[in-house]
Amino acid sequence: MRRRTVLTTALTVAAAAAPGVARAAAPGPSVTRAGTTTLDDRAIYFVSYDGLVNNNSFQKNGLLTYKGHQYAVWYTADRNAVVGRRALGTGAWQTVKVGHTLRYDDSHNVISMGVSKLDGRLHLNMDSHSDGFTYVKSVAGLVDDPSGHSWTASRFGPPRSTLDGLALTSRFTYPQFIATPEGRLQLSYRAGVSGDGRNALAEYDGEKWTALGEWTDSTGTYTSEHGSSTARNMYLHGIDYDRGGRLHAFFTWREQNGAVMCASGGITNHDTGYVRSDDRGRTWRNDAGAVVGVTGGPDRVRVSDAGLVVDPLGPDHSLMNQESQSTDSAGRPHAIISYVPGRFGRCTTDYVADRIANGRAFHVRRTASGAWRKTEIPVPLGSSQRTKLVLDRYDNAYAVLPYGRIAAASAAFGHTDWKLLYDGAGLNAFGEVVIDETRVAQDGVLSVMYQEKSSGTTPSALRVVDFRLPA
């Protein structure tokens, strides 16, 4: 039997100030709507896998901020890949087509961005779902000196099917760019297919890309009360460096064999797990610090490894994959997960319908004592889709729920006081949204990119709404 780290629920309150020491109380969470801008009045619109290609939770990053400018990527109604930029504090977006058109109506074919700080380039990876990918990078220095570089197609290189000659895999999905503390750029991706895939990393040093290799394994046997499965993949809720340079990843497993479920209409995701790396993704450890995998080596993270699971849950509750995560100012990991709680029944038979009817989101985090805690966010999802997480400069937590609703909880009360702060009124958002994970730390603004609801394949407006968080 696999040893599990069991997550419990408990109230954690902020430590009191030392006797005789005055301490100003940190502000609790708040959002103030600061304005909305339009990226595209007619962005491409089609529903695939219950989502939109311009707004998907695993799109890291669809919206980012660097050195006073914000960047966004999307596909237009005529399928062109576009990248836009604006100076913070302005509403005017400059846009440019990067020479690629969307191949298939598949919402997995998102565009993700990254910045390589060593040479000031903007990198794009797009149009990939279990096959090849398209890669574009800018000229050096483009994001270091935006005012000194015109925003034209000439600032971007040609679309390529490799990373400057590095081919990686013919079954490539879920590109996520992450910057190391030294300024290198890493690309996280899945090699393989759903139910039989491995997570892998590549790294750019300012001159060339290098494949670091795979760090998870799809082999081994998982057994539930209903049956067994011998193949799977690890779906990441994110992959992020904290301020101290530790790399964090929450995840859930998805089994290939549906025999592990109580009903065929469910989804084979199970358990929330966590791993970390202190050597830039080369070696992976469980929460207790034991090595459970080495990138590029034969010993990779497997479903049978001890100490991975921080919240055990079987595959009968429509647990969603690829939600979101973040780290607080002390480097403690936080995540949002969602599923249908047992009080609504212990066997979901239609994961979309059941999540819409009874799905709930939960905040999972490690406390100062090192224990894991989970709190239900008391806002029904009303959606099959995912929620995004962000922490402000005071470590207050914000959950950006489907339809652009925002709930929050305060660090002062141990993140147990979740309440709805914004109901999404007037947005007419389709469901899942993209957030700018990088902007909050820079100027205390939460930017949310969303697409308006439409019907069929009728294009609709793609917008960015900004909220000021506590200063």
Side-chain angles (χ1 to χ4, degrees), residues 381-394:
L381 289 178
S383 169
S384 64
Q385 297 183 302
R386 304 170 179 94
T387 295
K388 301 297 291 184
L389 173 67
V390 67
L391 301 176
D392 68 19
R393 66 187 61 183
Y394 303 104

Side-chain angles (χ1 to χ4, degrees), residues 260-271:
V260 299
M261 298 185 296
C262 60
S264 61
I267 192 168
T268 59
N269 297 338
H270 63 90
D271 296 325

Side-chain angles (χ1 to χ4, degrees), residues 5 34 54 148 172 182 221 236 246 331 432:
T5 302
N54 286 328
F172 179 101
E182 299 80 19
T221 300
L236 298 177
R246 173 171 286 178
E432 213 159 279

Side-chain angles (χ1 to χ4, degrees), residues 27-43:
S30 65
V31 294
T32 303
R33 187 168 171 176
T36 302
T37 58
T38 300
L39 292 168
D40 192 335
D41 284 318
R42 288 177 48 81

Side-chain angles (χ1 to χ4, degrees), residues 2 4 222-227 252-255 257-263 266-273 309-321 337-342 345-348 351 355 374:
R2 293 172 295 144
R4 295 181 170 185
Y222 169 80
T223 301
S224 75
E225 62 183 294
H226 310 293
T252 184
W253 296 105
R254 175 177 293 178
E255 298 300 319
N257 190 350
V260 299
M261 298 185 296
C262 60
I267 192 168
T268 59
N269 297 338
H270 63 90
D271 296 325
T272 296
V309 177
V310 298
D311 187 35
L313 187 71
D316 294 339
H317 296 273
S318 295
L319 175 68
M320 183 48 65
N321 51 286
I337 65 174
S338 66
Y339 57 90
V340 177
R346 299 194 175 275
C347 180
T348 56
Y351 86 90
R355 284 178 57 84
K374 181 174 70 173

